[in-house]
Amino acid sequence: MLDRPNSPRRRRSGLVLLVSCLALGTGSASASTLRLEPVLGTPGQALSIPVSLDSTDPCVGGVTFEVVHAAELTFTEASAADESCLLHAESIDDTTLRVGLLCPDLLHQLDDVLQLDFTLSSDATEGVLDLGLTFLAAADCNGSTIELSGEDGEVAVGMSCELPGDVYPDGAGDGVLDLRDFLLAGRKALLQTNAVGGHDLLCADFHPGATLCTTEAGVTRWCAEGGDGSLGLDEVALIRGLVAGTVEISCDPCLAALPVDQAFVPGDVAPLGDTNGVADIGDVVQCLRWSVGLDELPTDDVLLRADVSPTEDDEALEVVVGNDTIDISDVVQLLRASVGLDTLAWPRHELAVTIDAPAGIVGYRVGLDGWPLWAEVIGHEGAGCGEDDGDGLDEVVGLVTLTCTTDPDPVLESAGDLVVVTYRAPESVPLEGDDAVTLTSELVDAALFFVDAELGMEGRQP
């Protein structure tokens, strides 16, 4: 544990004394928070600890504080983000650093308002070194006292993460990726109700980085490039993908590229047995041969794609209705599509996931396993699923997953639709039989406990 001395304040240097005198002015109702950001450390190397300030006051004129740190850390220098500020920092013993910052116009909310540089001893062992804030004081630009609180930091030394994205339980992980990791990451990065720690940076600081490739199964491979010392919306979205199984954190190249789309594209019948994912002149010629009896009629699945007439207008689309035969009207319609006069599309369908009793659920993940390639998802609607806070839909071959949250508020107050998926397909996805889509789920309450509830699926026509 950190030792926060209760003894009278020690003798202060000139700058620290000046800031302290400012704080003797008339009291203010404003409140400020000084925060030591968590960092990662390697024994024997230098490290920088950012200090952030968040205040309701429009102008903070100065702050003083002391940092209590482990003996394995040796202070080297400090620097302010604003070069017009006066800064003084000195070690008063092996484990205490005193800092004073006086600025003519310090903004009320600043990330990395100053930076403290240390050297980590080569003898430091793997683990977490605490950084504590004490003797905090602040004044606004008029010399009035501002209430100043502190958020401690930490240095994670020589640690590694066994499973990227595994941030739950807080500060440790449990070797499993599930909905609780996504929700806790959101609380840290977006709601800011939980502090970001060294373990979080090890397991979830994925930016900067880049999408490296997509595997044959449709999994996106993200190559992280060292991290930036923070968690944000981008990390939350990536953890959602990790939980859903649609993202991998790796800089290894993919062994195979994503294949040509094998979905049922209306009119895409040629080359036979090896379609190319588009309706073109080759498809027109093949349909013409079938329509005049030159070639034997195709199998049922190919017939389904070739039977593109009649159609119904749906804004800019021609929605395929068909009449269970291939004739000259199909050839004409396909010719129009092949030269860009029409855009063919399958009819719209809906699949609703229902819940009987929400029971205080603040987040959920539902998986539609066995999702057919011929059903193209075009939209979704559900409680807490607006894609605003890292929520949303993920897809890989054979699986559609929705990971959504209204944390800290309940998702639903009563039974009803949890989420509705809209898709285009020649027919509804099967919910019974050998090829049926199956439902998996995780439901979590505000305490991040799993909740049992009865879920169901309903096929609908919009």
Side-chain angles (χ1 to χ4, degrees):
M1 298 294 293
L2 290 171
D3 179 21
R4 287 181 172 78
N6 295 316
S7 59
R9 297 192 180 189
R10 303 176 180 87
R11 179 179 57 85
R12 278 155 167 68
S13 63
L15 177 59
V16 177
L17 182 59
L18 175 60
V19 176
S20 299
C21 290
L22 285 175
L24 295 176
T26 304
S28 168
S30 300
S32 302
T33 300
L34 200 67
R35 182 172 58 252
L36 295 175
E37 302 292 351
V39 297
L40 307 179
T42 302
Q45 295 187 5
L47 57 89
S48 296
I49 299 172
V51 182
S52 300
L53 175 67
D54 189 359
S55 176
T56 59
D57 194 285
C59 181
V60 179
V63 295
T64 63
F65 59 93
E66 291 183 1
V67 178
V68 181
H69 59 83
E72 291 91 338
L73 292 169
T74 302
F75 172 69
T76 54
E77 64 177 342
S79 57
D82 186 346
E83 294 183 355
S84 66
C85 296
L86 298 176
L87 172 64
H88 178 83
E90 63 175 334
S91 291
I92 57 177
D93 57 42
D94 291 342
T95 60
T96 308
L97 173 67
R98 179 180 294 158
V99 181
L101 183 68
L102 184 64
C103 299
D105 185 20
L106 188 61
L107 296 178
H108 70 285
Q109 186 169 359
L110 284 176
D111 289 332
D112 303 353
V113 64
L114 62 91
Q115 181 174 289
L116 305 175
D117 294 339
F118 291 83
T119 299
L120 181 59
S121 170
S122 58
D123 297 329
T125 58
E126 180 178 310
V128 175
L129 302 179
D130 292 330
L131 299 168
L133 283 170
T134 187
F135 288 144
L136 296 115
D140 65 17
C141 294
N142 296 317
S144 297
T145 300
I146 298 174
E147 180 183 346
L148 182 63
S149 61
E151 291 185 9
D152 298 341
E154 62 182 36
V155 179
V157 180
M159 300 172 65
S160 61
C161 180
E162 299 296 330
L163 183 62
D166 180 22
V167 297
Y168 178 87
D170 198 355
D174 58 4
V176 177
L177 282 176
D178 56 40
L179 181 60
R180 295 172 297 182
D181 296 294
F182 169 72
L183 291 177
L184 183 57
R187 291 181 177 184
K188 290 173 176 288
L190 306 177
L191 299 179
Q192 297 184 352
T193 56
N194 294 66
V196 176
H199 176 80
D200 303 313
L201 298 183
L202 285 168
C203 286
D205 185 10
F206 302 133
H207 278 260
T211 298
L212 184 65
C213 55
T214 303
T215 68
E216 189 172 2
V219 176
T220 299
R221 191 162 285 178
W222 177 266
C223 180
E225 298 174 357
D228 60 3
S230 65
L231 298 189
L233 177 60
D234 292 331
E235 277 81 9
V236 176
L238 283 169
I239 290 177
R240 183 189 90 201
L242 289 168
V243 172
T246 60
V247 171
E248 296 175 348
I249 305 299
S250 174
C251 294
D252 296 332
C254 300
L255 297 180
L258 184 66
V260 173
D261 187 7
Q262 296 299 304
F264 274 33
V265 175
D268 180 28
V269 294
L272 287 176
D274 188 22
T275 56
N276 58 8
V278 295
D280 55 24
I281 194 62
D283 303 304
V284 177
V285 171
Q286 182 59 70
C287 281
L288 179 61
R289 294 179 63 86
W290 282 327
S291 70
V292 298
L294 292 178
D295 287 345
E296 184 178 349
L297 288 177
T299 58
D300 288 344
D301 64 326
V302 178
L303 174 62
L304 187 62
R305 279 182 280 183
D307 182 18
V308 295
S309 179
T311 63
E312 295 179 348
D313 291 338
D314 182 1
E315 296 180 350
L317 302 175
E318 292 295 322
V319 176
V320 173
V321 177
N323 57 6
D324 297 324
T325 187
I326 301 175
D327 54 29
I328 194 62
S329 65
D330 298 297
V331 177
V332 172
Q333 180 61 74
L334 190 50
L335 179 60
R336 291 179 60 85
S338 70
V339 296
L341 295 178
D342 291 338
T343 301
L344 299 176
W346 296 120
R348 292 161 61 98
H349 303 267
E350 290 182 350
L351 176 61
V353 177
T354 61
I355 186 169
D356 64 346
I361 294 166
V362 301
Y364 61 91
R365 182 187 64 81
V366 294
L368 303 174
D369 202 0
W371 190 266
L373 286 171
W374 44 262
E376 178 191 7
V377 176
I378 59 172
H380 64 279
E381 182 176 357
C385 235
E387 300 279 359
D388 295 328
D389 296 323
D391 314 280
L393 182 145
D394 299 285
E395 286 186 86
V396 292
V397 175
L399 177 65
V400 172
T401 304
L402 292 113
T403 310
C404 310
T405 177
T406 53
D407 193 24
D409 301 317
V411 169
L412 292 173
E413 297 293 344
S414 59
D417 291 345
L418 189 61
V419 68
V420 178
V421 176
T422 305
Y423 62 97
R424 290 193 180 275
E427 57 190 15
S428 297
V429 298
L431 301 182
E432 297 180 352
D434 294 338
D435 297 328
V437 170
T438 58
L439 177 65
T440 62
S441 66
E442 289 179 341
L443 310 171
V444 171
D445 63 16
L448 298 186
F449 292 142
F450 286 122
V451 176
D452 291 327
E454 187 70 27
L455 300 185
M457 292 188 293
E458 294 179 5
R460 299 172 183 170
Q461 294 300 320

